[in-house]
Amino acid sequence: MKGWLVVNGFVDSAKFCELYSFLSCAAEKRGIALEVRKSDSFSAPLGEKIADVDRPDFVLFWDKDIRLAARMEKEGLRLFNSASAIEICDSKALTAEALTGHVPTPRTLIAPKTFEGVGYNRLKFLENAARVLGLPIIIKEVYGSFGAQVYLAESLADAEKTVSALGHKEFVMQEFIEESRGRDVRINVVGGEVVSAMERYNCNDFRSNITNGGKMKPAALTPEMEDAAIKACELIGLDFAGVDVLFGKDGPIVCEVNSNPHFKSSLECTGVDMSEKIMDHILERLK
Ligand SMILES: Nc1ncnc2c1ncn2[C@@H]1O[C@H](COP(=O)(O)OP(=O)(O)O)[C@@H](O)[C@H]1O
Ligand SMILES: [Mg+2]
């Protein structure tokens, strides 16, 4: 069995490389030859095959290069996760659209589109959003991770300042789940089953991300939490994911779904190595 681990050609921080080595190790244990292929190493023009003579049995796509993923699928390669699932997770607007009405998720408004050089030069829509969603209000760039592009605006003036600094970047506005301030559960799902879960908490920030200073402890999940995480993955069509679930006053609320989760913290917290589960899942699906 031969696979490609497709990774981004430009991001090579130790944090990412470590994840790739966990995945390679898990593959090796199962006799899978997993070759790391950087996204900038493919040079077949459109209309020509990316994988011609050297065709892998599967591709573990650990990048967000949707065009490359879609091309690979078009020539019949089986991707874990699929191009469409990665695309939905990459965009917090698409994720909110996919989940809303099917699993509990914060009420979300997608910011109206603007253009480079124009920006959000009228902010009346923010006033309307604050009226509909309440204050404080969450403002999230559509593309972002590690909590770095998520903001909490306490007042309308705060929200206006945040949005003015975004230039023309796409963003969403979200109801702030106050009960869950600085606290959530990262639930890792593989093949429709929960494999591990950790609670993340931060007393000094509304964001619970570990990279942003959050602490972690193993989480005891309620059946409702498990169901919400599994259903979110089903809706998006994910083989595996890390799902961020907030504590709502009436039960769990799905905040975000990560198609390429950084599972090292979960491993340290729970002892469960997600890379092993992912490889078992791939083998099972290719039978
Ligand atoms: N609507 C919300 N209400 C309360 N807390 C939120 C909300 N959205 C995000 N958060 C907090 O911010 C963190 C980061 O947001 P998230 O959407 O997961 O973005 P990222 O991709 O940067 O992790 C979450 O883990 C959670 O702690
Ligand atoms: Mg998150």
Side-chain angles (χ1 to χ4, degrees):
M1 172 91 56
K2 197 169 83 179
W4 283 351
L5 173 61
V6 173
V7 306
N8 189 274
F10 308 107
V11 177
D12 49 14
S13 68
K15 193 175 156 130
F16 281 87
C17 295
E18 200 178 15
L19 273 196
Y20 308 153
S21 69
F22 281 125
L23 292 162
S24 298
C25 219
E28 201 181 321
K29 274 194 206 165
R30 288 159 181 77
I32 302 170
L34 190 66
E35 185 189 347
V36 178
R37 293 294 310 263
K38 294 200 167 186
S39 59
D40 60 341
S41 69
F42 300 100
S43 55
L46 293 177
E48 292 173 29
K49 286 212 160 156
I50 294 177
D52 206 353
V53 276
D54 177 31
R55 200 179 158 83
D57 300 301
F58 69 90
V59 177
L60 179 52
F61 203 90
W62 215 273
D63 192 11
K64 301 201 168 165
D65 192 328
I66 312 300
R67 300 271 49 86
L68 178 62
R71 255 190 95 187
M72 288 182 167
E73 279 180 349
K74 207 172 157 201
E75 60 183 69
L77 293 170
R78 168 63 158 107
L79 264 60
F80 297 87
N81 280 302
S82 70
S84 120
I86 294 172
E87 182 172 26
I88 294 170
C89 291
D90 190 32
S91 157
K92 288 179 167 64
L94 292 181
T95 305
E97 283 179 350
L99 301 182
T100 302
H102 304 289
V103 286
T105 192
R107 293 181 77 207
T108 302
L109 253 169
I110 299 176
K113 183 175 175 63
T114 187
F115 302 95
E116 190 167 4
V118 179
Y120 299 98
N121 57 9
R122 277 182 205 96
L123 295 173
K124 178 79 182 163
F125 71 92
L126 269 182
E127 217 175 296
N128 297 335
R131 191 166 26 77
V132 173
L133 303 175
L135 284 167
I137 189 170
I138 289 272
I139 293 173
K140 277 186 205 186
E141 293 181 30
V142 161
Y143 304 103
S145 37
F146 309 122
Q149 290 82 10
V150 180
Y151 316 94
L152 181 65
E154 297 287 346
S155 63
L156 187 58
D158 240 15
E160 288 174 350
K161 205 170 140 208
T162 302
V163 169
S164 300
L166 291 181
H168 71 288
K169 285 185 200 156
E170 295 173 52
F171 69 95
V172 300
M173 296 155 282
Q174 231 168 42
E175 159 197 16
F176 177 52
I177 308 301
E178 180 71 60
E179 303 75 23
S180 203
R181 184 185 280 263
R183 209 161 69 92
D184 70 1
V185 183
R186 164 57 63 91
I187 304 179
N188 296 307
V189 176
V190 180
E193 282 175 24
V194 171
V195 299
S196 62
M198 64 169 171
E199 188 175 329
R200 310 183 296 181
Y201 55 99
N202 190 333
C203 304
N204 306 311
D205 200 296
F206 72 96
R207 295 160 296 184
S208 60
N209 304 70
I210 305 293
T211 311
N212 188 52
K215 302 264 185 300
M216 58 194 183
K217 59 182 179 196
L221 298 183
T222 62
E224 291 75 25
M225 284 174 142
E226 290 212 15
D227 289 351
I230 292 169
K231 182 124 189 251
C233 292
E234 261 171 33
L235 285 164
I236 299 174
L238 288 148
D239 286 286
F240 58 86
V243 187
D244 294 346
V245 177
L246 300 166
F247 297 94
K249 65 176 185 310
D250 300 319
I253 298 178
V254 178
C255 170
E256 199 220 355
V257 186
N258 298 278
S259 60
N260 310 12
H262 269 267
F263 53 80
K264 194 193 167 198
S265 302
S266 293
L267 166 59
E268 284 169 358
C269 181
T270 66
V272 178
D273 186 345
M274 195 176 179
S275 63
E276 305 266 353
K277 306 284 181 188
I278 291 172
M279 286 306 159
D280 284 342
H281 169 75
I282 292 175
L283 285 176
E284 182 63 34
R285 282 292 179 276
L286 294 180
K287 259 188 198 162

